[in-house]
Amino acid sequence: MIKSFSVSNFSVNEFIKKVSDSLSQRELGKIASVSLNGENVIITFSKLGKSEVIYSLKNLADGFECIHKSEKISLTHKAFRSDIETKLSKVLESNGAKVLN
């Protein structure tokens, strides 16, 4: 599980745009999306069910941190969770995030 991730030098909206652009160029982008809803960053997986992982947003002096808050994982996604999270971590890191698993 991705417990948290932090980003420096980008706003939340800039980071979400960068991650969304990266996802759109990968197979993972067919099932995964990242969005901002109030003070939460939500990662959604949609294929044969819907899963959401919600992170609370904490602004920092030089960026922001997203801390795992809650999740709703579809039964059909549980078997693939580790693989999907590994791929998602790589996308987050390639866009400047420091991921804590």
Side-chain angles (χ1 to χ4, degrees), residues 10-82:
F10 293 111
S11 71
V12 177
N13 288 327
E14 289 171 325
F15 181 71
I16 289 174
K17 170 113 175 65
K18 286 172 61 88
V19 171
S20 295
D21 290 347
S22 291
L23 285 171
S24 72
Q25 299 169 16
R26 300 169 189 251
E27 195 68 24
L28 184 58
K30 292 180 180 176
I31 63 167
S33 64
V34 181
S35 61
L36 179 63
N37 185 351
E39 294 297 310
N40 295 316
V41 172
I42 302 171
I43 299 175
T44 305
F45 302 96
S46 300
K47 183 176 182 182
L48 301 173
K50 180 177 177 182
S51 296
E52 287 186 334
V53 183
I54 301 169
Y55 293 88
S56 53
L57 179 61
K58 178 181 172 187
N59 288 310
L60 304 174
D62 66 341
F64 63 92
E65 181 177 29
C66 293
I67 303 162
H68 185 270
K69 181 178 179 180
S70 65
E71 59 186 41
K72 297 176 211 157
I73 306 297
S74 166
L75 256 160
T76 55
H77 294 163
K78 289 187 184 218
F80 306 104
R81 180 176 184 162
S82 178

